[in-house]
Amino acid sequence: MLNDLPRHKGQRNKLVKLLITKGIRQPEVLKAIGKIPRHLFMDSSFEDFAYQDKAFPIAAGQTISQPYTVAFQSELLQVKPGMKVLEIGTGSGYQASVLHEMGCKVHSIERQKELFDITRQTMRKLGYYFDMKFGDGFAGLPSFAPFERIIVTCGAPKIPEKLLAQMSIGARMVIPVGEGSQVMKLVIRDADGSFSVEDFGDFRFVPMLGSKNV
Ligand code: SAH
C-alpha cells in the first residue's frame, strides 16, 4: 500500500481504541477501520490529522465523515460478507471502502462529478474495487435493486421513497434525516413488506442535494 507507514498503523490502532471507548463493538467494523489507510483518502496536508476522530474537508466543498460516524453507521447496518449494499454519497470513498473491506458488494453513488472523478482515481490507486456511479442518490440504482442494505452519508430532507422501494425484504437502511442537523434513522423492511423506523441520536452531515450535472 502506497505510503502506509508503521506510524500510520500505530495511529489507527489508537483510533480503534478510542472508538471502543465511544461504544463501537462490532469486531469486523473495528478491524476494517484498523486496516484502511484513512490518510490516503484525504489531502496530504491533513495527513497528520487523519486518525483523529474528526470530519475533514475533501474536494468540492464536501467532507470525509468522522470515523465514529462511519463506525456507527457501519455497525447499525449489520452487514454480512456477500451482501449487496448501496451507498448514497461516495465522497472520499472511505465509508464504501470500510464496507468493501467487510466483504460487501458495494455500489456507491456520488452527485459531484469533480469529486467522483478524483475518488475513482484514488480508489484505483489504493485497489479498492467497488462499483462507483455518478448520479443522483434520490433515484437510487434501480438496475441493481433490490439491496439488502442501504447507507446514506449525507443529510436527507426526508426518507426518499425510491430508496424504500429498492430495499429487499429484511433489508436495513441507515439514513440521517433532517435539515441543519440530522437524526440517524434505521429503517427495516419487515416480512410483510411494511417498514419500521427507529431513531439513533443526532449527527451532522453535509446536505443531500438534488441532481447536478457537472
Ligand atoms: N461517505 C463519504 C461521505 C462524504 S460527504 C465518505 O466516506 O467520505 C457526503 C457526500 O454526499 C458528498 O460527497 C456529496 O457530494 C454527496 N451527495 C450529496 N447529495 C447527493 C445525492 N443526491 N446523491 C449522491 N451523492 C450526494
Side-chain angles (χ1 to χ4, degrees):
M1 188 79 61
L2 59 212
N3 294 323
D4 189 29
L5 305 171
R7 82 179 152 92
H8 296 123
K9 178 73 186 151
Q11 290 170 342
R12 278 202 291 282
N13 288 342
K14 276 195 192 149
L15 174 61
V16 166
K17 286 199 180 116
L18 179 67
L19 294 176
I20 293 170
T21 67
K22 292 188 174 184
I24 303 299
R25 289 285 173 270
Q26 205 184 307
E28 294 81 2
V29 172
L30 295 166
K31 200 172 153 211
I33 289 176
K35 189 164 173 197
I36 298 176
R38 186 172 187 257
H39 64 287
L40 299 177
F41 290 71
M42 300 163 53
D43 191 279
S44 56
S45 53
F46 293 119
E47 186 178 326
D48 289 343
F49 309 104
Y51 298 103
Q52 294 183 3
D53 190 21
K54 286 186 182 148
F56 275 98
I58 50 174
Q62 302 304 318
T63 56
I64 178 170
S65 300
Q66 184 182 343
Y68 174 73
T69 304
V70 172
F72 189 87
Q73 287 196 281
S74 303
E75 193 165 81
L76 206 49
L77 265 189
Q78 294 284 316
V79 299
K80 293 192 182 64
M83 276 187 168
K84 190 160 61 155
V85 181
L86 175 66
E87 180 193 33
I88 310 301
T90 315
S92 69
Y94 181 73
Q95 170 73 75
S97 297
V98 168
L99 296 169
H100 174 80
E101 187 64 39
M102 291 172 75
C104 299
K105 288 179 254 165
V106 181
H107 302 267
S108 184
I109 308 177
E110 172 57 54
R111 73 183 273 283
Q112 301 235 32
K113 187 72 166 73
E114 179 197 352
L115 191 51
F116 173 82
D117 288 338
I118 294 171
T119 299
R120 193 162 52 169
Q121 270 202 348
T122 310
M123 294 306 100
R124 274 198 199 127
K125 266 192 241 157
L126 295 179
Y128 290 112
Y129 297 109
F130 54 85
D131 178 40
M132 286 184 64
K133 295 272 188 284
F134 167 57
D136 178 11
F138 280 105
L141 208 51
S143 52
F144 288 87
F147 295 95
E148 296 166 282
R149 299 290 186 261
I150 298 180
I151 176 170
V152 179
T153 66
C154 37
K158 65 187 195 70
I159 301 173
E161 295 281 335
K162 286 183 180 162
L163 295 185
L164 291 173
Q166 290 173 34
M167 292 171 74
S168 60
I169 298 294
R172 295 163 81 93
M173 169 158 63
V174 174
I175 175 168
V177 179
E179 325 249 356
S181 88
Q182 292 81 30
V183 175
M184 192 67 76
K185 293 190 181 275
L186 170 65
V187 183
I188 297 181
R189 187 161 208 180
D190 300 316
D192 63 1
S194 67
F195 298 94
S196 61
V197 185
E198 215 181 315
D199 289 355
F200 285 88
D202 295 333
F203 288 81
R204 194 170 274 273
F205 285 82
V206 297
M208 182 172 181
L209 301 167
S211 62
K212 182 181 174 194
N213 292 310
V214 289

